[in-house]
Amino acid sequence: MDSTFEHVPLLTEERIESIAAWLPSVVERASSRLLHLGELAFDEAALLLRAGLAARVHSATCPGIDEVADDRELRALLENWTRPFDDTHSRSVVRASQIGVCLGLVSWLSELGVAHVVQREALYNEFHGFGGTGDHRPWSLYGQDYFAEQAAGYNRRRFRGDEFFSAVKSALSASVSPSSTVADIGCGTGALSEVAANLGAKVVATDLSRDMLREFGGSTTHDRQILTVQSSCLHLPMVDEAVDCAIEHEVFCFAPSPVRAALEALRVVKDGGILLRLVSRVGLDEELKDVEGLFHDALRTMGYFGFRLYGKGADAAIDETLQRLGLVVEGELVGTWSVAVSRQEILSRLQSGFVPYLGRIPAEDLIRAGDVVSEQLLAHRISVDEPLVCTVSLEAHSTRRRLSQSCNRSK
């Protein structure tokens, strides 16, 4: 590792030893039962999800079942896993989902260098042999399924053109200098990290997705300035007060606890350092909103309901918490620009599952819903390729950490 980053240690040997004391046995028991008996009992399924949560937040100990219940995705999984199913197909989907979690845990153990006796190849064959179709989307420990599909071309689909990078540079310039060490939390394919590196900073870029980091690593020209680390935003692999500035762009809002993610970011910021949260606002033309509405209507006719916009209200909750701690949150509009977008582009984004709340719907149903919308537009002689306008803006929310304030990580 470059000596530049020696002051930002990753997981300690003691933490890895603590993980090794309990996690391998959990995965070994669950995988063995799935391979030989086919189904997990309630307590076994609950323990597997507790292990999954531990890996998600890099916990050295096994979380309690109440912590699983606090995580909306894990809670939904537990309910689904323990629901009685009469049909073979549904039971097979649940089993494949549980095998997927086991595979994710095995990958994490391997990354940490922890020994285990899990039959990984057998699990892998069972997982990918399900139904011979691969048409389901089981939950992945690191969100790999979703981000593996979205990593290529991610910046383009997020409306990240020259105007975006100019606005990011404007936002970072006040807090980042050539002497700065910056943590880019949820770095994705590295948009913010590249801007910080261009300003001369040394960057520790963390993300939950291996595929995003791989995409980033293959394109960066700042190898000696940027260290990439796979990590949850809820448990950053850094000591207290490790960096001068922590930056994120629409990451905390997707965390199980946005407020906890913000406090964890403040933990690694030095006294007097800055937490900089960037928020994009996309205002769609009414005709483009109509395409989204038709798409949701098509999915409802297939039995899908409850399209929840993750993160709604998260920024306000973070601001309120920081202000309650006596910290000052300063907001600034750093850029606004217009982007030409067609109905077909919006429809393609929805069909690809690019929007996170659609990630649980099978790919063939997303495609079918898009086809229904296309037929409706064609029937009304509405062009899908006509360029329309959406407005994009970037806001910067900055908070300066003061050690006199109580801003330690939430437990």
Side-chain angles (χ1 to χ4, degrees):
M1 182 183 297
D2 193 309
S3 60
T4 298
F5 301 104
E6 286 182 354
H7 68 294
V8 187
L10 306 183
L11 292 179
T12 64
E13 291 184 7
E14 291 78 12
R15 182 176 290 273
I16 293 175
E17 288 175 0
S18 296
I19 293 168
W22 67 272
L23 183 56
S25 61
V26 172
V27 188
E28 289 161 7
R29 285 197 301 271
S31 60
S32 177
R33 187 168 182 84
L34 287 167
L35 286 173
H36 297 103
L37 299 176
E39 295 183 9
L40 297 181
F42 175 85
D43 58 339
E44 294 169 323
L47 182 58
L48 182 61
L49 285 183
R50 289 166 59 194
L53 178 59
R56 175 179 285 182
V57 300
H58 284 205
S59 173
T61 58
C62 190
I65 191 65
D66 56 326
E67 294 178 75
V68 169
D70 287 340
D71 186 297
R72 57 194 168 204
E73 186 176 19
L74 296 183
R75 182 175 64 250
L77 263 184
L78 184 58
E79 292 171 356
N80 188 49
W81 283 5
T82 54
R83 191 189 320 163
F85 289 108
D86 294 328
D87 63 295
T88 303
H89 176 79
S90 296
R91 292 169 69 179
S92 296
V93 169
V94 168
R95 180 168 174 269
S97 180
Q98 293 169 342
I99 291 175
V101 174
C102 286
L103 283 170
L105 288 166
V106 170
S107 296
W108 191 47
L109 288 173
S110 298
E111 289 164 10
L112 296 178
V114 175
H116 59 82
V117 294
V118 177
Q119 301 176 49
R120 184 172 185 172
E121 185 175 351
L123 281 175
Y124 185 87
N125 291 337
E126 285 284 321
F127 180 71
H128 291 278
F130 164 71
T133 63
D135 60 359
H136 65 299
R137 291 188 177 196
W139 177 74
S140 168
L141 181 63
Y142 290 116
Q144 298 302 324
D145 298 330
Y146 172 73
F147 287 109
E149 297 168 4
Q150 304 300 337
Y154 188 72
N155 285 337
R156 175 179 53 79
R157 289 193 295 275
R158 290 292 304 273
F159 305 116
R160 290 176 174 175
D162 292 341
E163 299 92 341
F164 170 81
F165 288 100
S166 176
V168 170
K169 181 178 179 181
S170 176
L172 266 60
S173 294
S175 306
V176 176
S177 69
S179 63
S180 299
T181 300
V182 174
D184 182 3
I185 302 169
C187 65
T189 53
L192 272 61
S193 292
E194 289 288 326
V195 175
N198 284 333
L199 292 171
K202 305 174 185 66
V203 183
V204 182
T206 73
D207 199 276
L208 201 61
S209 167
R210 280 190 296 270
D211 293 281
M212 287 290 193
L213 293 174
R214 189 177 297 116
E215 185 78 12
F216 178 17
S219 62
T220 183
T221 57
H222 297 92
D223 290 344
R224 294 190 62 79
Q225 280 179 263
I226 299 174
L227 171 69
T228 58
V229 184
Q230 185 178 11
S231 169
S232 162
C233 65
L234 294 177
H235 197 109
L236 299 173
M238 305 176 204
V239 297
D240 295 352
E241 301 182 68
V243 300
D244 302 293
C245 179
I247 58 178
E248 66 94 24
H249 178 222
E250 296 181 352
V251 174
F252 296 165
C253 60
F254 293 109
S257 173
V259 169
R260 179 182 169 193
L263 295 178
E264 170 68 349
L266 275 177
R267 177 185 68 80
V268 305
V269 174
K270 297 175 182 177
D271 182 29
I274 294 289
L275 168 60
L276 184 64
R277 296 149 42 219
L278 301 182
V279 181
S280 291
R281 309 289 186 192
V282 179
L284 294 179
D285 180 285
E286 288 300 322
E287 293 177 89
L288 294 174
K289 288 182 181 178
D290 289 342
V291 173
E292 285 190 330
L294 291 172
F295 190 83
H296 292 161
D297 288 342
L299 288 174
R300 288 188 183 97
T301 65
M302 301 178 197
Y304 295 105
F305 298 92
F307 303 115
R308 177 178 59 236
L309 292 178
Y310 285 104
K312 186 176 181 180
D315 292 308
I318 292 172
D319 288 346
E320 180 183 350
T321 299
L322 296 180
Q323 290 165 354
R324 193 167 63 246
L325 293 170
L327 297 168
V328 177
V329 179
E330 297 181 351
E332 178 187 7
L333 178 64
V334 292
T336 301
W337 60 97
S338 297
V339 179
V341 183
S342 69
R343 294 180 180 87
Q344 184 57 57
E345 286 179 276
I346 294 296
L347 198 54
S348 296
R349 284 162 55 92
L350 294 168
Q351 283 184 301
S352 72
F354 177 73
V355 188
Y357 67 87
L358 298 176
R360 283 195 163 281
I361 299 176
E364 68 272 16
D365 286 346
L366 293 174
I367 293 172
R368 185 151 42 113
D371 291 343
V372 169
V373 175
S374 294
E375 292 171 4
Q376 290 175 321
L377 295 174
L378 181 62
H380 289 84
R381 297 185 178 181
I382 298 175
S383 170
V384 295
D385 296 318
E386 175 189 359
L388 300 170
V389 176
C390 75
T391 302
V392 184
S393 61
L394 187 70
E395 301 172 3
H397 299 244
S398 62
T399 304
R400 188 174 298 278
R401 182 186 179 187
R402 296 297 183 190
L403 285 181
S404 58
Q405 307 297 337
S406 175
C407 55
N408 292 326
R409 184 174 71 240
S410 174
K411 299 297 183 183

